[in-house]
Amino acid sequence: MNMELIQLRGHHLFCLLGFRGMGYSEAYAMNMKHIHQQLREQPHTIVRVISGADDLCAKFPCDQPYHCDAVRVFEQDQALLHVLQLHIGDELTWQDIEKRMRTFATPDLIERVCFDCQWRKYGVCEEGIVRIQHGEGLRELS
């Protein structure tokens, strides 16, 4: 069993809930699909919460405006980590992150914290929180 450590920033914990295969580029989407699949199939995978660019940002396309270091993104990270009672440097399993989401997150959190996200219009992150609340885990990708 592959137990690689995955490094994620605060808001990406929630982006993974809504991931449906779309991304900023094909390489970004494939990287996110790999991480999503790893966490879905191996929920005991360790996630390290970090500040700034993480394993998803690593594949952000160079031909688009880089927002991974934007103040607004750091604010989103901190707000979402606060809700989950997580801190930079924490290491826990994806399964434990899902437990925290079940306990502390509600779908309206996305509207409050991620109101300016370009992906929010699809409503998939809110749907992802509902899945987690029902104990269904990450959605299987088609």
Side-chain angles (χ1 to χ4, degrees):
M1 176 173 8
N2 181 6
M3 292 301 287
E4 71 182 84
L5 175 81
I6 295 177
Q7 298 189 103
L8 294 173
R9 64 189 312 159
H11 81 274
H12 281 160
L13 301 174
F14 288 86
C15 294
L16 284 160
L17 302 182
F19 182 63
R20 299 293 186 275
M22 299 178 288
Y24 298 103
S25 68
E26 185 175 339
Y28 184 91
M30 289 304 297
N31 182 50
M32 193 160 182
K33 183 177 183 177
H34 167 76
I35 291 171
H36 182 278
Q37 186 171 343
Q38 163 104 21
L39 297 174
R40 184 177 180 285
E41 293 175 0
Q42 299 175 32
H44 293 321
T45 298
I46 300 295
V47 174
R48 178 183 297 142
V49 178
I50 67 168
S51 177
D54 63 7
D55 289 342
L56 292 176
C57 298
K59 295 294 184 177
F60 193 85
C62 58
D63 64 343
Q64 294 187 32
Y66 188 73
H67 64 263
C68 300
D69 293 330
V71 171
R72 172 70 183 119
V73 176
F74 281 96
E75 291 170 351
Q76 284 177 305
D77 290 339
Q78 285 304 308
L80 294 168
L81 290 176
H82 178 75
V83 167
L84 297 180
Q85 299 181 9
L86 289 171
H87 303 92
I88 303 304
D90 285 350
E91 290 187 8
L92 63 166
T93 66
W94 177 255
Q95 184 175 40
D96 288 336
I97 292 171
E98 286 187 351
K99 286 179 189 173
R100 286 174 183 255
M101 289 179 175
R102 270 194 300 280
T103 302
F104 303 118
T106 57
D108 67 313
L109 176 66
I110 301 301
E111 182 179 347
R112 289 193 325 261
V113 178
C114 304
F115 57 87
D116 55 350
C117 175
Q118 73 182 45
W119 303 104
R120 193 175 159 270
K121 63 187 172 192
Y122 299 104
V124 292
C125 297
E126 291 93 334
E127 183 184 305
I129 290 176
V130 171
R131 285 185 58 83
I132 295 297
Q133 287 175 334
H134 291 132
E136 298 173 4
L138 292 174
R139 179 186 184 104
E140 185 173 359
L141 298 175
S142 48

